Coordinates of all heavy atoms in Angstrom, one line a residue:
G387 N -9.9 -12.5 -13.6 CA -9.2 -12.3 -14.8 C -7.7 -12.3 -14.6 O -6.9 -11.8 -15.5
T388 N -7.2 -12.7 -13.5 CA -5.8 -12.7 -13.2 C -5.3 -14.1 -12.7 O -6.1 -14.9 -12.2 CB -5.3 -11.7 -12.2 OG1 -5.9 -12.1 -10.9 CG2 -5.8 -10.3 -12.4
R389 N -4.0 -14.4 -13.0 CA -3.4 -15.5 -12.4 C -2.1 -15.1 -11.6 O -1.3 -14.4 -12.2 CB -2.9 -16.5 -13.5 CG -4.0 -17.4 -14.0 CD -3.5 -18.5 -14.8 NE -4.5 -18.9 -15.8 CZ -4.5 -18.6 -17.1 NH1 -3.5 -17.9 -17.6 NH2 -5.5 -18.9 -17.9
Q390 N -2.0 -15.4 -10.3 CA -0.9 -14.8 -9.6 C -0.1 -15.9 -8.9 O -0.7 -16.9 -8.4 CB -1.5 -13.8 -8.5 CG -2.2 -12.7 -9.2 CD -2.9 -11.8 -8.3 OE1 -2.3 -11.4 -7.2 NE2 -4.1 -11.3 -8.5
Y391 N 1.1 -15.7 -8.8 CA 2.0 -16.7 -8.2 C 3.0 -16.0 -7.2 O 3.8 -15.2 -7.6 CB 2.8 -17.4 -9.3 CG 3.9 -18.4 -8.7 CD1 3.4 -19.5 -7.9 CD2 5.2 -18.2 -8.9 CE1 4.4 -20.4 -7.3 CE2 6.2 -19.1 -8.3 CZ 5.7 -20.1 -7.5 OH 6.6 -20.9 -6.9
Y392 N 2.9 -16.4 -6.0 CA 3.8 -15.9 -4.9 C 4.5 -17.1 -4.3 O 3.8 -18.0 -3.7 CB 3.0 -15.1 -3.9 CG 2.3 -14.0 -4.5 CD1 0.9 -14.1 -4.6 CD2 2.9 -12.9 -5.1 CE1 0.1 -13.1 -5.2 CE2 2.2 -11.9 -5.7 CZ 0.8 -12.0 -5.8 OH 0.1 -11.0 -6.4
P393 N 5.8 -17.3 -4.5 CA 6.5 -18.6 -4.2 C 6.3 -18.9 -2.6 O 6.6 -18.0 -1.8 CB 7.9 -18.4 -4.5 CG 8.0 -17.2 -5.4 CD 6.7 -16.4 -5.1
L394 N 5.9 -20.1 -2.3 CA 5.8 -20.5 -0.9 C 7.2 -20.4 -0.3 O 8.2 -20.8 -0.8 CB 5.3 -22.0 -0.9 CG 5.0 -22.5 0.5 CD1 3.8 -21.7 1.1 CD2 4.6 -24.0 0.4
G395 N 7.2 -19.8 0.9 CA 8.4 -19.6 1.7 C 9.1 -18.3 1.4 O 10.0 -17.9 2.1
S396 N 8.6 -17.5 0.5 CA 9.1 -16.2 0.2 C 8.5 -15.1 1.2 O 7.5 -15.4 1.8 CB 8.9 -15.8 -1.2 OG 7.5 -15.5 -1.5
W397 N 9.0 -14.0 1.1 CA 8.5 -12.9 2.0 C 7.0 -12.6 1.5 O 6.3 -12.0 2.2 CB 9.3 -11.6 1.9 CG 9.4 -11.0 0.5 CD1 10.4 -11.2 -0.4 CD2 8.5 -10.1 -0.1 NE1 10.1 -10.6 -1.6 CE2 8.9 -9.9 -1.4 CE3 7.3 -9.6 0.3 CZ2 8.2 -9.1 -2.3 CZ3 6.6 -8.8 -0.6 CH2 7.1 -8.5 -1.9
A398 N 6.7 -13.0 0.3 CA 5.4 -12.7 -0.3 C 4.4 -13.8 0.0 O 3.2 -13.7 -0.4 CB 5.5 -12.4 -1.8
N399 N 4.8 -14.9 0.5 CA 4.0 -16.0 0.9 C 4.7 -16.9 1.8 O 5.1 -18.0 1.5 CB 3.6 -16.8 -0.4 CG 2.7 -17.9 -0.2 OD1 2.1 -18.1 0.9 ND2 2.5 -18.8 -1.2
P400 N 4.8 -16.5 3.1 CA 5.6 -17.2 4.1 C 5.1 -18.6 4.3 O 5.9 -19.5 4.6 CB 5.5 -16.4 5.3 CG 5.2 -15.0 4.8 CD 4.3 -15.2 3.7
G401 N 3.8 -18.8 4.2 CA 3.3 -20.2 4.5 C 3.5 -20.7 5.9 O 3.4 -21.8 6.2
D402 N 3.6 -19.7 6.8 CA 3.9 -20.1 8.2 C 3.2 -19.0 9.1 O 3.5 -17.8 9.0 CB 5.4 -20.0 8.5 CG 5.7 -20.3 9.9 OD1 4.9 -20.2 10.8 OD2 6.9 -20.7 10.1
P403 N 2.1 -19.4 9.8 CA 1.3 -18.5 10.6 C 2.0 -17.8 11.7 O 1.5 -16.8 12.2 CB 0.2 -19.4 11.1 CG 0.7 -20.8 11.1 CD 1.7 -20.9 10.0
S404 N 3.3 -18.1 12.0 CA 4.0 -17.4 13.0 C 4.8 -16.2 12.5 O 5.4 -15.5 13.3 CB 5.0 -18.4 13.8 OG 6.1 -18.6 12.9
V405 N 4.8 -16.0 11.2 CA 5.5 -15.0 10.6 C 4.8 -13.6 10.8 O 3.6 -13.4 10.6 CB 5.7 -15.2 9.1 CG1 6.4 -14.1 8.3 CG2 6.6 -16.5 8.9
S406 N 5.6 -12.6 11.1 CA 5.1 -11.3 11.3 C 4.8 -10.5 10.0 O 5.6 -10.6 9.1 CB 6.1 -10.4 12.2 OG 5.6 -9.1 12.2
T407 N 3.7 -9.8 10.0 CA 3.4 -8.9 8.8 C 3.0 -7.6 9.3 O 2.3 -6.9 8.5 CB 2.2 -9.6 8.1 OG1 1.1 -9.8 9.0 CG2 2.5 -11.0 7.5
G408 N 3.5 -7.1 10.4 CA 3.0 -5.9 11.0 C 3.1 -4.6 10.1 O 2.3 -3.8 10.1
I409 N 4.2 -4.5 9.3 CA 4.3 -3.4 8.4 C 4.6 -4.0 7.0 O 5.5 -3.6 6.3 CB 5.4 -2.4 8.9 CG1 5.4 -1.2 8.0 CG2 6.8 -3.0 9.0 CD1 6.1 0.1 8.5
A410 N 3.7 -4.9 6.6 CA 3.8 -5.6 5.3 C 4.1 -4.5 4.1 O 4.7 -4.8 3.2 CB 2.6 -6.4 5.0
W411 N 3.5 -3.3 4.3 CA 3.5 -2.3 3.2 C 5.0 -1.9 2.9 O 5.3 -1.5 1.8 CB 2.8 -1.0 3.6 CG 1.3 -1.3 3.5 CD1 0.4 -1.4 4.5 CD2 0.5 -1.4 2.3 NE1 -0.8 -1.6 4.1 CE2 -0.8 -1.6 2.7 CE3 0.8 -1.3 1.0 CZ2 -1.8 -1.8 1.8 CZ3 -0.2 -1.5 0.0 CH2 -1.5 -1.7 0.5
L412 N 5.9 -2.1 3.9 CA 7.3 -1.6 3.6 C 8.0 -2.5 2.5 O 8.9 -2.0 1.8 CB 8.1 -1.7 4.9 CG 9.3 -0.6 4.9 CD1 8.7 0.8 4.9 CD2 10.1 -0.8 6.2
F413 N 7.5 -3.7 2.3 CA 8.0 -4.5 1.2 C 7.0 -4.4 0.0 O 7.3 -4.4 -1.1 CB 8.1 -5.9 1.6 CG 9.5 -6.2 2.3 CD1 10.3 -5.2 2.7 CD2 9.9 -7.5 2.5 CE1 11.5 -5.5 3.3 CE2 11.1 -7.8 3.1 CZ 11.9 -6.8 3.5
L414 N 5.7 -4.4 0.4 CA 4.6 -4.4 -0.6 C 4.6 -3.2 -1.5 O 4.5 -3.4 -2.8 CB 3.3 -4.4 0.2 CG 2.3 -5.5 -0.1 CD1 1.1 -5.3 0.8 CD2 1.9 -5.4 -1.5
I415 N 4.8 -2.1 -0.9 CA 4.7 -0.8 -1.8 C 5.8 -0.8 -2.8 O 5.5 -0.7 -4.0 CB 4.8 0.4 -0.9 CG1 3.5 0.6 -0.1 CG2 5.0 1.7 -1.7 CD1 3.5 1.7 0.9
P416 N 7.1 -1.0 -2.5 CA 8.1 -1.1 -3.5 C 7.9 -2.2 -4.5 O 8.2 -2.1 -5.7 CB 9.4 -1.2 -2.8 CG 9.1 -1.5 -1.4 CD 7.7 -1.1 -1.1
S417 N 7.4 -3.4 -4.0 CA 7.4 -4.5 -4.9 C 6.4 -4.3 -6.1 O 6.7 -4.8 -7.2 CB 6.9 -5.8 -4.1 OG 5.5 -5.7 -3.8
F418 N 5.4 -3.5 -5.9 CA 4.5 -3.3 -7.0 C 4.8 -2.0 -7.8 O 4.0 -1.6 -8.7 CB 3.0 -3.3 -6.5 CG 2.6 -4.7 -6.3 CD1 2.5 -5.2 -5.0 CD2 2.3 -5.5 -7.4 CE1 2.1 -6.5 -4.8 CE2 1.9 -6.8 -7.2 CZ 1.8 -7.3 -5.9
T419 N 5.9 -1.3 -7.6 CA 6.3 -0.3 -8.5 C 6.6 -0.9 -9.9 O 6.3 -0.2 -10.9 CB 7.7 0.4 -8.0 OG1 8.6 -0.7 -7.8 CG2 7.5 1.2 -6.8
S420 N 6.9 -2.2 -9.9 CA 7.2 -2.8 -11.2 C 5.9 -3.0 -12.0 O 5.8 -3.0 -13.2 CB 7.9 -4.2 -11.0 OG 9.1 -4.0 -10.5
L421 N 4.8 -3.3 -11.3 CA 3.5 -3.4 -12.0 C 3.1 -2.2 -12.7 O 2.6 -2.2 -13.8 CB 2.4 -3.9 -10.9 CG 1.0 -4.2 -11.5 CD1 1.1 -5.2 -12.7 CD2 0.1 -4.7 -10.4
V422 N 3.3 -1.0 -12.0 CA 3.0 0.3 -12.6 C 3.9 0.5 -13.9 O 3.4 0.9 -14.9 CB 3.3 1.4 -11.6 CG1 3.1 2.8 -12.3 CG2 2.4 1.3 -10.4
K423 N 5.1 0.1 -13.8 CA 6.1 0.2 -14.9 C 5.6 -0.7 -16.0 O 5.6 -0.2 -17.2 CB 7.4 -0.2 -14.4 CG 8.6 0.3 -15.1 CD 9.8 -0.4 -14.4 CE 11.0 0.5 -14.4 NZ 12.2 -0.1 -13.8
H424 N 5.3 -1.9 -15.8 CA 4.9 -2.9 -16.8 C 3.6 -2.4 -17.5 O 3.6 -2.4 -18.7 CB 4.6 -4.2 -16.2 CG 5.7 -4.9 -15.5 ND1 7.0 -4.7 -15.9 CD2 5.8 -5.9 -14.6 CE1 7.8 -5.5 -15.1 NE2 7.0 -6.2 -14.3
L425 N 2.7 -2.0 -16.8 CA 1.4 -1.6 -17.4 C 1.6 -0.3 -18.2 O 1.1 -0.2 -19.3 CB 0.4 -1.3 -16.3 CG -0.2 -2.5 -15.6 CD1 -1.0 -2.2 -14.4 CD2 -1.1 -3.3 -16.6
S426 N 2.5 0.6 -17.7 CA 2.7 1.8 -18.5 C 3.4 1.5 -19.8 O 3.2 2.1 -20.9 CB 3.6 2.8 -17.7 OG 2.8 3.4 -16.7
R427 N 4.4 0.5 -19.7 CA 5.1 0.1 -21.0 C 4.1 -0.5 -22.0 O 4.1 -0.2 -23.2 CB 6.1 -0.9 -20.7 CG 7.4 -0.3 -20.0 CD 8.3 -1.4 -19.6 NE 9.6 -0.8 -19.2 CZ 10.5 -1.4 -18.4 NH1 10.2 -2.6 -17.9 NH2 11.7 -0.9 -18.1
A428 N 3.2 -1.2 -21.4 CA 2.1 -1.9 -22.3 C 1.2 -0.9 -22.8 O 0.8 -1.0 -24.0 CB 1.4 -2.9 -21.4
F429 N 0.8 0.2 -22.1 CA -0.1 1.2 -22.6 C 0.6 2.0 -23.7 O 0.0 2.3 -24.7 CB -0.5 2.2 -21.5 CG -1.2 1.6 -20.3 CD1 -1.2 2.3 -19.1 CD2 -2.0 0.5 -20.4 CE1 -1.9 1.8 -18.0 CE2 -2.7 0.0 -19.4 CZ -2.7 0.6 -18.1
Q430 N 1.9 2.3 -23.4 CA 2.6 3.0 -24.4 C 2.8 2.2 -25.7 O 2.6 2.8 -26.8 CB 4.1 3.3 -23.8 CG 4.8 4.3 -24.7 CD 5.8 3.6 -25.6 OE1 6.0 2.4 -25.6 NE2 6.5 4.4 -26.5
A431 N 3.0 0.9 -25.6 CA 3.1 0.1 -26.8 C 1.8 0.1 -27.6 O 1.9 0.0 -28.8 CB 3.5 -1.3 -26.4
R432 N 0.7 0.2 -26.9 CA -0.6 0.2 -27.6 C -1.0 1.6 -28.1 O -1.9 1.7 -28.8 CB -1.6 -0.4 -26.7 CG -3.0 -0.6 -27.2 CD -3.1 -1.5 -28.4 NE -3.3 -2.9 -28.1 CZ -3.3 -3.8 -29.0 NH1 -3.1 -3.6 -30.3 NH2 -3.4 -5.1 -28.6
G433 N -0.3 2.6 -27.5 CA -0.6 4.0 -28.0 C -1.4 4.8 -27.0 O -1.9 5.9 -27.3
Y434 N -1.8 4.2 -25.8 CA -2.5 4.9 -24.8 C -1.6 5.8 -24.0 O -1.4 5.5 -22.8 CB -3.4 4.0 -24.0 CG -4.6 3.4 -24.7 CD1 -4.5 2.2 -25.4 CD2 -5.8 4.2 -24.8 CE1 -5.6 1.7 -26.1 CE2 -6.9 3.7 -25.5 CZ -6.8 2.5 -26.1 OH -7.8 2.0 -26.8

Side-chain angles (χ1 to χ4, degrees):
T388 65
R389 278 191 208 105
Q390 300 177 41
Y391 174 64
Y392 306 107
L394 188 64
S396 71
W397 63 264
N399 182 10
D402 179 338
S404 74
V405 171
S406 172
T407 56
I409 186 166
W411 286 107
L412 209 61
F413 278 12
L414 231 176
I415 292 175
S417 74
F418 283 103
T419 50
S420 294
L421 181 54
V422 175
K423 204 182 211 180
H424 296 335
L425 287 169
S426 286
R427 284 171 169 161
F429 298 157
Q430 189 263 355
R432 182 61 88 186
Y434 285 95

